[in-house]
Amino acid sequence: MNEQNQPSAEVVPTGTSDADAVRLDQGHIHGEGGYPEAFENPGLPPHTPRLTDIDEAAAKRAERQIAGLFTLSIIGSILFLVGYFTFGVDARNWFPGVGVMSTTHLLLGAGLALGLLGIGLGVLHWSRTLMPGEEIVESRHHLASSDEQRAELADTFVKGVEGSQINRRPLIKYSLGGALGLVSLPILVQLVGSLGPLPKDDLYVSAWSGLPDENGKRTFSAPRLVLDPENRPIKASDVTIGSVFHVQPEGLLDLHDHVLEEKGKSSVIVMRLDPGDFADNDLGRKARDWGHDGIVAYSKICTHVGCPVGLYEQTTHHLLCPCHQSTFDVTQDCKVIFGPAKRPLPQLKITVDDEGYLIAAQPFMEPVGPSFWERD
Ligand code: FES
């Protein structure tokens, strides 16, 4: 290297490490381009055989331990399935060190953990005891592999399989096969078995069809519309033009159990329009006819994915869903005029009773909430 190419303490080549920079500073570097000179490859330290490489009894012991870990995984997966199918979600018991908790959830968690842990530890132990233990150096080559290199890779793979002794040790082969086969079952069971009941029957009824009796039967009783959460019935005269009310069927807010489930399907928004504001088409006429003197009631559950539609623009008579901006035109029976919702908000037909209170004239005639595949 000539004088001009000698690195100086001020000029540090790009990519030079801190340690190199110090050595540059001290004038120790004389490699081409200012980089450290190549040094002799020290090679790998000599390979020390493991006990399992030289002692077949130790190898056998390791084999049994590995099979034991895979068996542990199998037991974990079976435990998961037993927990899933044997106990109801409400079954609770006391467990030492855990306290009172759901038996199902404990078995599901413990079973899945054992199922995965057994496989993980088994493979780890296998690689540390029986798979080839030598360090291997692979030099960098051009990215594209030649035919010889591909053949070499295939050969390495075959040798790796032979080195893992999987063909010589059927105990490992079959226990691993069993563990891998079973560990997928909990995931499948979770995916398929936990989807819950088909929504058809549930979503076609709401508390507007009547509150469920002890047998779950509902009988329509023309419930009054009560303010949520005040639980106070409203008269038609309370609803002035431009005002908005959030209501539930009378009796629902007095329930002790399943209030939220019932409210989730029964929330209704009530508005009053000037009867002349309804669109002069079939949709506008139907909306007006199902209301009372310009007062209309619609399900508040967005038909997109179920957010509460609570924003009412009284000048345009638009209802907006804050989640993804679906917009429903109240003058046209809550037809979707913008956004991802695919069907109008269901209308609740209302009228008044002898005392002038707003009541439901009939239950919802279609399911409320997001569209689903069983809908006709
Ligand atoms: S939930 Fe209403 S627009 Fe998506």
Side-chain angles (χ1 to χ4, degrees):
M1 178 181 292
N2 62 35
E3 279 289 311
Q4 285 178 328
N5 288 338
Q6 286 286 351
S8 72
E10 289 76 32
V11 183
V12 178
T14 309
T16 306
S17 70
D18 289 350
D20 289 341
V22 170
R23 289 156 68 203
L24 277 167
D25 209 21
Q26 295 167 349
H28 293 323
I29 303 298
H30 303 290
E32 197 171 327
Y35 290 98
E37 284 181 352
F39 53 85
E40 201 177 323
N41 182 354
L44 294 172
H47 173 63
T48 311
R50 301 160 302 188
L51 185 60
T52 48
D53 292 332
I54 51 179
D55 181 355
E56 182 55 25
K60 269 280 173 204
R61 195 163 52 244
E63 181 183 2
R64 286 193 298 274
Q65 289 163 347
I66 295 163
L69 287 166
F70 290 150
T71 307
L72 191 69
S73 166
I74 292 173
I75 292 170
S77 298
I78 292 172
L79 208 60
F80 180 100
L81 297 172
V82 169
Y84 192 91
F85 288 111
T86 309
F87 299 95
V89 281
D90 296 329
R92 298 172 75 79
N93 284 299
W94 183 86
F95 297 94
V98 181
V100 177
M101 75 169 294
S102 158
T103 310
T104 302
H105 290 158
L106 183 73
L107 291 180
L108 295 188
L112 193 57
L114 277 182
L116 295 173
L117 195 69
I119 289 180
L121 290 179
V123 170
L124 194 65
H125 193 41
W126 185 8
S127 72
R128 292 178 67 87
T129 53
L130 295 176
M131 289 189 189
E134 300 93 12
E135 286 187 50
I136 297 170
V137 175
E138 185 184 15
S139 306
R140 287 191 184 180
H141 302 288
H142 293 299
L143 287 179
S145 308
S146 64
D147 290 345
E148 293 78 34
Q149 287 168 326
R150 289 198 194 103
E152 192 182 330
L153 176 68
D155 190 43
T156 306
F157 179 75
V158 171
K159 282 193 180 130
V161 172
E162 282 167 7
S164 73
Q165 306 186 30
I166 194 166
N167 290 329
R168 280 183 48 215
R169 301 192 184 274
L171 199 55
I172 292 180
K173 184 156 88 176
Y174 294 122
S175 59
L176 174 62
L180 287 177
L182 275 184
V183 81
S184 58
L185 277 184
I187 296 163
L188 283 178
V189 166
Q190 276 283 44
L191 280 179
V192 179
S194 297
L195 290 177
L198 290 175
K200 192 160 187 166
D201 293 338
D202 262 6
L203 291 185
Y204 272 87
V205 293
S206 70
W208 294 101
S209 311
L211 293 169
D213 61 19
E214 57 277 7
N215 300 318
K217 194 166 175 305
R218 298 173 189 261
T219 309
F220 178 69
S221 60
R224 284 178 174 170
L225 281 56
V226 299
L227 290 175
D228 183 10
E230 294 91 329
N231 202 9
R232 176 168 59 79
I234 48 172
K235 290 188 168 180
S237 54
D238 296 334
V239 187
T240 53
I241 287 183
S243 57
V244 179
F245 292 90
H246 302 272
V247 302
Q248 297 287 347
E250 189 170 32
L252 188 155
L253 298 174
D254 300 319
L255 288 178
H256 295 299
D257 298 322
H258 306 295
V259 181
L260 290 181
E261 286 169 44
E262 294 291 342
K263 273 182 81 171
K265 290 187 286 180
S266 303
S267 298
V268 160
I269 190 165
V270 173
M271 301 138 287
R272 184 171 210 152
L273 282 67
D274 185 316
D277 285 341
F278 288 96
D280 187 17
N281 57 24
D282 288 348
L283 294 176
R285 281 188 282 281
K286 180 260 178 179
R288 192 179 52 226
D289 293 348
W290 278 36
H292 172 77
D293 200 16
I295 303 171
V296 285
Y298 283 90
S299 167
K300 212 174 117 180
I301 316 301
C302 184
T303 51
H304 178 219
V305 288
C307 286
V309 181
L311 304 174
Y312 177 57
E313 270 182 4
Q314 60 167 300
T315 49
T316 57
H317 307 303
H318 290 167
L319 274 171
L320 280 91
C321 178
C323 286
H324 314 101
Q325 285 74 53
S326 284
T327 307
F328 305 87
D329 184 359
V330 182
T331 69
Q332 294 194 74
D333 200 20
C334 278
K335 171 182 165 185
V336 183
I337 55 170
F338 182 78
K342 287 285 177 286
R343 64 186 183 101
L345 295 173
Q347 186 176 12
L348 181 70
K349 191 173 184 181
I350 55 171
T351 181
V352 288
D353 62 16
D354 295 343
E355 298 174 60
Y357 286 103
L358 289 171
I359 58 170
Q362 62 185 27
F364 278 115
M365 290 289 107
E366 57 182 314
V368 300
S371 303
F372 54 93
W373 57 94
E374 286 88 5
R375 276 196 88 231
D376 296 327

